[in-house]
């Protein structure tokens, strides 16, 4: 293994640029040497902003570059699985944004290629790297609250995405709640066995017309007996709302939201503070950086990646079960999927 | 109507004594003139503590006393419905502890007697009178958070009751969650249409052997489209935990727990505060007094009681549906009950 | 000692009525048997509200009643010292509102009479009985924060009293900060040795014209080396503000304000809660009751009173030193007073 | 003005490296081209870590380099004033760590050189750029709390510096409280007119033997009538404690401490959270970056610097007055200094 690690970036959209910035400014063990985007102007702009030597519109230039040791896949969802396969076949390590794919055959084929190539694959569940959620996980692992009995996740966006996005994203369970299914598995450290969903269109009827819901509560039953709920809304008018609570035999853990400042103002009308950090780019800045640092560290020190391809698959499987529960209005066992 | 209102108390156990104290010390419009308890010593002790003129072991002495205008029924659950009937037939107003009964025929018969007699009946859902929950209800009614979309209720006891109690109480859904079913209906102002339960025995296997659960999450769907969850545990080791969150189109409301003091201590180990108020007698002291004040006020000023017999019935109905959902492991519509 | 203890009340104003209610409803060991007020209508109204047998406009009726064992002095400040003397001479125990007097000769004469008569005298520094401040004191005593180094007291009223009151009250240091001087002595458990004041008229120029200030910060140095500050304002528009912080070798304690509810509302504008409890009658309801319970307990069980005549004197002495510091714009040693 | 702005760094210690990292990773408008440190190995190590082309042990190499447009002075305090003079004479813009110097003649001479050269000089009062304190300042400026009446600053370090440092630093008022004197001036926007100090040695007697104190409270009076206090301790065992409160005619602002996470854990013993961020490098990470961004922005867009040389001088002047107050045990007017 040569250092600094030479990394290529496929997909120079918003999240691709975040990762480019992380590697350039915070990861001395790694170097971003090439960027590809189907929109060549995007690749060029990203290359210039982050002083990346090479750019272009063809990901295969990166895949075929023998000097590149690892690839970040930040392109559109439909390309994830084929790119994982191609990059794995080229013997490079892979960091891929979620979801791996929206169908299980594609996911399994991609994971098989990774397995066969013996490369590392890390999925971009950035929230696992957030200081709050890591602390909750630590508390659970350390037994600070004993055996966990119940988990609640609140995960609300400040505003819905464009309807056009909803039409292709797979819908709330796949594009949004998937993070929470992963978070639930991560925090509890056990597999989800059954889901039951109540959902509705409360925010925007156009979302319903696009075949999706904007408000959902998912109940979970885990293999280790823990019961969970996930609360999702496409629109919390007060801003991005990301909290969890884990209750156990020796106590409970609550996380509060994150705010840009810790200032409280008391006036004749109320005691108030500013709204929480508005959305994921502000809320999870550090988590995005930390996941890339962890990926490079896993390669550099030949450690297991902290979010595996299997984790990536299971979040999709649970999302599919949740969608099925909503459509069929009944509890769905995870083993019914796939 | 003569004043002060002359009130009789049936049942001089813990909650009966709380109400006796309220009337004696905080309700100048009312006077406690007689107390009955099947354990005469209990009646005597209560009479002496609260300077009540008459006591005995027979509730009918109170029911037949023409000078008594209202009766508080604080005796054991199995006596509630027949006593409501008898007191209503005697033309007296009634305050009755929850639950009215554990079977619907009894409840309906008691409510019919009340209806026929034209007396007032208030059910002892004291939590509606708690400052936190009243403020949440006010916020919902005032539209402070727009249309409600989701409600979460956390309701955890500090320690399980004796197994002997669990065997006769009807179990967690009827003896404990019933408060939360009422709270959900109260805060949202709409009927629950469907419930789905995940439950487990995690605290004490003896509870399971007694045919009950000690850990349960109930998902609710309301007639107005709101989705809800209720989190119940028989044992939160850190103390009584009573919180709600209502999320809506224009915001969200959270209640924190109540504490005996507002002191935070920072040491080299942690930033900490004392545990919350330990149990319902401390946590709901004011609410218990306020419900009795409201009952007397409803009589004195001929206003509707704030918690009706119908409210008392519906909480039992939802509890029955929840128990059925747990037993049959499926969503249960409320209309399936009764 | 006969029980219930027979108590007389001198002064049926606001605070006299609060104590009357406490004795009637919360102190079974005591009985309020007589009330006197120079305004006889006030005495009558108080007697009727609390079912007190005897009332009148002459305090000496109470002082001379051999069946009365203890007296609460809640009349105007100028009467406190002579009444203490008279009641002590009559051999009765005394609870007296603060301040004992505004001049030291009067105070010393009253305390000498108490000493000579061997009766108990408790001064009405109710805040010592507040759950927050008691918890802070306990933490200091228990060594939870090690040796105290610094104390800060915030004590702000929601609105200034009438100018007429300010003209006779002795001013901010004597009528308002006196509570905080006592609190500082209580929490630290050491005598104040020196004070230095910065003060101003910021709220209402009429207060300045009346010879007083409305905004003041007092720095304290204690005999045990602790340094302190007291922040007083006649007008916190957001409501009554009563907090302390004690910092020590092993940590720090902060108290938050008290609120009527624990509800937080998140909207598109802010995260807010309702204002704190508005003023002392709401904020210190429990503390007022607890001080009377403690007084009766001290008599019933022949224990030292928790707030002595000496405590009452020292708070006045420190207030005088603070006023002197303000007038002379220099640090003033307590020993300069008297 | 050419861009990216070419910057030289004098002093490659801890804070010099922080600024080097900021320029390299967050300020595309600027480039760090040279670093000098009297310890050449430190300069070399810093140059390698941040890919700086030139390094050496002589600051004059930087001062004499015509291609360098601005210089960061991060060397030891005694070198600040002469270096400011030299860099100003060379016509370069200057960012200098606090304090400018420990004697007024030196400060005035340095400021005169800056004035004459017409270059920009920004002093490193990083806390002004902290999100909490900026928000407080904004609230004051926007009138959110009306006219300010009182300010309190809490500023406690987690542990004392080495005694060797205390012996040369000028002591607590100059090396530590200086930040708070600047903060007080910044938040209130008015000059301090008088100070009065109570101080003690409570943490470590060796600090007293070195001629310094470790515990101090400073009272301030501002030209605009505001009264203030500053609470300093060399040792808060629970961690770095940085808070302010501003009270005014229309309300009050409080800042809480900053924490690494927002997790609260409830157990049978207490409700607790982890300690606050430990020290200034964690607590003020963003503020350090923001002050450098502001410095570059001031040059790039020819705007006034946000912290002037005069600000740098006044903080030293107030520190000198505070020290004098402590030594002479009396209030000291600022005009007595210099």
């Amino acid at each position: 293994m040569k250092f600094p690690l030479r990394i290529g970036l496929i997909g120079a959209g918003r999240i691709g640029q975040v990762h480019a910035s992380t590697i350039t400014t915070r990861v001395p063990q790694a170097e971003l040497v090439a960027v590809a985007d189907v929109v060549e102007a995007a690749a060029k702009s990203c290359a210039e902003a982050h002083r990346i030597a090479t750019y272009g519109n063809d990901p295969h230039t990166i895949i075929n570059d023998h000097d590149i040791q690892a690839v970040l896949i930040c392109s559109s969802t439909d390309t994830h699985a084929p790119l994982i396969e191609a990059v794995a076949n080229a013997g490079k390590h892979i960091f891929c944004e979620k979801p791996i794919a929206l169908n299980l055959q594609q996911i399994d084929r991609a994971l098989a290629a990774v397995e066969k190539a013996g490369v590392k694959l890390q999925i971009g569940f950035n929230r696992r790297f957030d200081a709050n959620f890591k602390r909750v996980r630590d508390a659970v692992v350390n037994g600070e609250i004993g055996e966990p009995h119940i988990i609640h996740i609140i995960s609300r966006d400040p505003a819905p995405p464009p309807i056009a996005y909803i039409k292709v994203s797979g819908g709330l369970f796949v594009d949004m709640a998937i993070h929470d299914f992963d978070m639930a598995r991560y925090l509890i450290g056990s597999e989800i066995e059954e889901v039951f969903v109540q959902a509705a269109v409360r925010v925007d009827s156009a979302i319903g017309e696009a075949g999706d819901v904007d408000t959902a509560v998912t109940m979970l039953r885990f293999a280790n007996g823990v019961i969970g709920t996930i609360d999702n809304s496409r629109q919390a008018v007060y801003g991005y709302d990301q909290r969890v609570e884990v209750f156990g035999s020796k106590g409970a853990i609550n996380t509060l939201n994150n705010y840009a400042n810790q200032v409280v103002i008391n006036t004749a009308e109320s005691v108030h503070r500013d709204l929480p950090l508005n959305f994921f780019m502000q809320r999870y800045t550090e988590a995005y950086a930390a996941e890339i640092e962890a990926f490079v560290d896993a390669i550099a020190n030949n450690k297991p990646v902290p979010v595996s391809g299997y984790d990536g698959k299971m979040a999709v499987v649970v999302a599919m079960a949740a969608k099925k529960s909503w459509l069929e209005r009944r509890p769905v066992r995870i083993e019914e999927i796939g």
Side-chain angles (χ1 to χ4, degrees), chain A:
Chain A
M1 183 69 48
K2 288 181 301 184
F3 283 97
L5 192 74
R6 295 169 61 82
I7 297 182
L9 170 66
I10 299 175
R14 185 165 50 178
I15 194 63
Q17 293 183 59
V18 168
H19 295 327
S21 170
T22 295
I23 294 172
T24 308
T25 65
R26 295 181 44 155
V27 189
Q29 291 174 296
E31 195 175 357
L32 200 51
V33 296
V35 53
D37 195 292
V38 288
V39 180
E40 185 157 343
K44 183 182 181 194
S45 157
C46 179
E48 287 172 356
H50 301 285
R51 308 181 193 181
I52 304 167
T54 310
Y55 66 87
N57 67 358
D58 182 1
H60 291 91
T61 313
I62 288 174
I63 295 169
N64 297 330
D65 183 336
H66 292 297
D67 280 347
I68 289 178
Q69 297 154 288
V71 174
L72 310 188
I73 302 176
C74 303
S75 46
S76 62
T77 294
D78 58 307
T79 66
H80 289 179
L83 283 173
I84 288 174
E85 220 178 320
V87 177
N89 290 343
K92 300 181 192 335
H93 300 297
I94 306 160
F95 177 95
C96 183
E97 284 301 319
K98 59 90 206 166
I100 300 176
L102 299 183
N103 101 30
L104 290 186
Q105 287 71 24
Q106 279 194 297
I107 293 176
D108 286 339
R109 194 169 144 174
L111 297 192
V114 168
E115 176 83 16
K116 188 176 161 205
V119 295
K120 292 181 190 296
L121 167 64
Q122 180 174 329
I123 304 301
F125 284 123
N126 58 295
R127 294 184 195 174
R128 291 191 180 202
F129 299 85
D130 175 75
N132 290 355
F133 301 131
K134 271 173 72 79
R135 183 65 182 86
V136 173
R137 176 58 184 156
D138 287 348
V140 170
V141 168
N142 299 341
E144 294 179 48
I145 58 154
E147 287 295 315
H149 293 174
I150 301 175
I151 179 171
H152 298 293
I153 297 178
I154 302 275
S155 177
R156 301 168 185 154
D157 282 354
I163 297 297
Y165 172 80
I166 286 175
K167 284 180 177 164
V168 301
S169 74
L172 180 143
F173 298 105
V174 177
D175 78 50
M176 179 179 173
I178 194 170
H179 273 294
D180 308 304
F181 298 135
D182 182 67
M183 181 58 63
R185 291 179 66 248
Y186 166 65
L187 292 180
I188 297 305
S190 173
E191 293 299 335
I192 295 165
E193 286 194 338
E194 187 184 284
V195 298
F196 177 68
V197 166
Q198 290 280 14
V201 178
R202 299 298 302 269
V203 173
D204 183 353
S205 60
I207 292 173
E209 288 154 20
D212 198 10
V213 293
D214 51 38
T215 304
V217 178
T218 303
M219 188 157 355
L220 313 172
R221 203 187 62 238
F222 292 78
N224 66 355
V226 167
I227 304 168
T229 72
I230 297 172
D231 165 321
N232 292 119
S233 171
R234 291 283 197 188
Q235 182 170 293
V237 297
Y238 52 88
Y240 201 36
D241 197 352
Q242 300 277 300
R243 289 171 288 145
V244 308
E245 171 161 351
V246 184
F247 171 75
S249 58
K250 294 187 180 166
I253 315 169
N254 318 98
T255 58
L256 304 178
N257 234 338
N258 278 19
Y259 291 82
N261 65 61
Q262 307 301 319
V263 172
V264 176
I265 300 181
N266 307 262
T267 68
E269 283 74 42
S270 72
V271 177
H272 58 271
R273 67 181 302 177
D274 295 342
L275 297 180
L277 289 172
N278 186 57
F279 209 5
F280 59 94
M281 298 302 268
Q282 291 77 48
R283 172 71 177 79
Y284 290 118
T285 304
E286 281 301 306
Y288 281 121
E291 69 176 349
I292 297 299
E293 291 173 338
F295 173 62
V296 171
D297 179 54
I299 298 171
N301 299 296
N302 196 21
K303 300 195 292 196
V305 292
V307 194
S308 71
Y310 181 73
D311 291 326
K313 172 180 173 178
M314 287 314 296
V316 174
V317 168
V318 177
M320 286 171 167
K323 194 163 180 179
K324 189 178 185 74
S325 172
W326 165 55
L327 290 170
E328 303 183 4
R329 305 180 64 87
R330 65 171 181 91
V332 170
R333 292 182 59 80
I334 299 306
E335 64 191 16
E336 296 182 43
I337 304 300

